Amino acid sequence: MNTDTTRVLRAVTLAAALALSVGACAAPWAGGAKAPGPPQLNAPLSSSNSASTAPGATSGGSAAVNPTDPIMAKAESPAEPSEARDIRLVRNGPDELALQFEFHNGSAQTTSPYRWANVKARMFLLFDLPRGTTYQVLPETSNAGFKGTWGRLSGNWMDQVGPGQSTTLTAVFSAPPAEATSMTVAINDLLPVQVHIQPADSPALKRDPILNDRHTAPNAGPLVCAAAQQNGPTQYRLPADVLFAFDSATLTPAAQTALDTLAKQVDATSGTVSVAGNTDAIGGDAYNQTLSEQRAAAVADALKQKLASHDFGYTAVGNGKTKPVAPNTNPDGSDNPDGRAQNRRVDIEIKAAGAAAPQGSIEPGSDAVRAGLQATVQSVRRIGGYLLTTTQITNPASAPAAFAYNNTAVSTAGTGPRARTLFPGELAVLDPTGQHRDTLCIPGGNPNDFFSYAATMNHYTAIDAGQTLTLWGLTPAPPSEVTAVNVQIGGFPQPFPAQITPGP
């Protein structure tokens, strides 16, 4: 818990609604971004509630959806016949959250959800985007009576599901703060959806033995996102509430993991590292100033150790509450917890010395064009401090076309985990001038063997004749005054202009 949140509890008596608050990883682009409006509850991000929507198609609808309406996540490709129906998120006691849905087999063959539950993959992510936090399935419990095969998953993940049949699946996560009202749910090769969080007494949650235990260590952490300026610095923004414990400038284990992830992305071997701590507007100026300075110093010291083989100079400053990136209050003067969460942050800027490789330079490649594939940008939506971009890759030919989409980062000597060539289908977002490039965010929690990015959590090797594959990815959002971006798609040399729309 963050000190700033605690002071809110004392000052405005928000009580337990803020007691478990975590942080935000907002837009690393220069300038302040206004907080988005309240999210639509249970609104599909890239899929539709409508059963008439073809697999792989996307919905551009933005009408509000009743939180009790069933939510469906459809497949990214017609090659995937399964879908998740009636998705619900229900609090399971004070510190856990249950994801439950109906796994529906839409094929003519018997299948199993087993492929979605591989012990090394666990291809499920929950995003609390206003707080910049991502959640993975909790590890196995130590209680033999409720031990899951691959963690806190219900015991029926290996069951066979007949054609046209469904089965109820459950996965357990650590809970977001009480103030969180919805989360983005991403399940394997399905399109992400926004789902309302229901209270612990909701009848929507079906009983399952896997719900009865309690975790000891949350499998959660901040999103790590890079925003690079052409021939300039690379910026990162990390949520203070996840980096630090209550009333503390001591880095948490989740912070150490996030900084390890950040350090692996640093290409430069010399230059400067600047760290700035920031708070929300609750509390006195002097207290906030001191806290922000202490936290900036802690992050700078940790990076100095993790980048010990590099020749960097380090500076750490505290801004207190003087540089918000989102409103601390709503227009009517009421508290804005999502906005305050974005303001409690640590900004990091890394600038290479000398003639280092341009920080914004990434080669998109042209292999997809040579294969005859066609790309379109379906939508670019602003959610919290992020952009959720959805694209479609179509094969208009009469034969399958190779398409080597791979979500896993591959280390290359001198380049860190992000090679300078985008793999086919990988996203990068450029500002309209092309001088600023944001790459895919990396989710927190335990490292995963099969996916690295907050993006489509699958591998594809080809696209069948006449078929369309829908892909998605999360990148940092620009300031609110930026209304259009260029989307770079790996395999296609020319960027695609797109308008930013408000997210659900």
Side-chain angles (χ1 to χ4, degrees), residues 240-260:
D241 292 359
V242 179
L243 297 180
F244 303 100
F246 164 70
D247 198 19
S248 171
T250 300
L251 292 168
T252 64
Q256 297 290 352
T257 301
L259 292 175
D260 284 338

Side-chain angles (χ1 to χ4, degrees), residues 9 38 104 217 358 458:
L9 288 168
H104 179 75
N458 211 327

Side-chain angles (χ1 to χ4, degrees), residues 74-328:
K74 288 187 170 292
E76 297 164 343
S77 167
E80 171 53 67
S82 303
E83 59 191 22
R85 296 182 172 181
D86 191 16
I87 303 173
R88 56 264 190 203
L89 290 174
V90 183
R91 293 189 181 274
N92 183 42
D95 60 354
E96 291 187 352
L97 186 71
L99 166 66
Q100 204 168 70
F101 60 91
E102 309 307 310
F103 173 89
H104 179 75
N105 177 14
S107 73
Q109 306 293 326
T110 297
T111 188
S112 171
Y114 160 74
R115 55 200 168 83
W116 288 4
N118 185 290
V119 64
K120 295 183 179 180
R122 294 180 186 163
M123 291 185 174
F124 308 91
L125 287 178
L126 303 182
F127 299 101
D128 182 0
L129 292 179
R131 291 155 192 85
T133 310
T134 181
Y135 297 79
Q136 296 185 43
V137 175
L138 289 170
E140 293 184 9
T141 171
S142 60
N143 186 329
F146 307 111
K147 189 176 181 66
T149 304
W150 299 302
R152 296 287 298 280
L153 301 177
S154 51
N156 58 333
W157 285 80
M158 293 185 66
D159 290 359
Q160 296 296 306
V161 181
Q165 300 300 306
S166 300
T167 188
T168 302
L169 300 178
T170 305
V172 185
F173 304 76
S174 57
E179 65 193 28
T181 58
S182 68
M183 299 183 80
T184 302
V185 177
I187 304 172
N188 198 21
D189 47 5
L190 305 182
L191 295 170
V193 290
Q194 193 79 3
V195 180
H196 173 71
I197 298 175
Q198 301 186 51
D201 58 354
S202 171
L205 183 63
K206 297 181 180 180
R207 298 181 64 84
D208 190 288
I210 206 68
L211 300 172
N212 297 343
D213 200 19
R214 286 292 176 266
H215 69 276
T216 57
N219 190 5
L223 283 166
V224 178
C225 313
Q229 183 177 342
Q230 184 76 358
N231 297 313
T234 300
Q235 298 168 318
Y236 303 86
R237 180 162 292 168
L238 297 175
D241 292 359
V242 179
L243 297 180
F244 303 100
F246 164 70
D247 198 19
S248 171
T250 300
L251 292 168
T252 64
Q256 297 290 352
T257 301
L259 292 175
D260 284 338
T261 301
L262 188 158
K264 291 177 182 177
Q265 298 183 66
V266 177
D267 294 338
T269 57
S270 63
T272 59
V273 177
S274 302
V275 182
N278 300 270
T279 69
D280 64 19
I282 301 299
D285 293 348
Y287 178 84
N288 281 313
Q289 181 63 34
T290 299
L291 181 64
S292 65
E293 291 173 358
Q294 292 173 341
R295 290 181 166 179
V299 171
D301 288 344
L303 283 175
K304 187 181 298 184
Q305 297 178 33
K306 297 178 186 300
L307 298 172
S309 61
H310 298 59
D311 184 20
F312 284 117
Y314 293 82
T315 60
V317 298
N319 297 323
K321 57 184 180 181
T322 64
K323 293 187 176 181
V325 294
N328 289 288

Side-chain angles (χ1 to χ4, degrees), residues 382-411:
R382 187 188 297 271
I383 308 176
Y386 302 87
L387 295 182
L388 175 64
T389 299
T390 305
T391 64
Q392 288 191 328
I393 313 297
T394 300
N395 177 15
S398 57
F403 184 71
Y405 179 89
N406 188 339
N407 187 289
T408 303
V410 179
S411 295

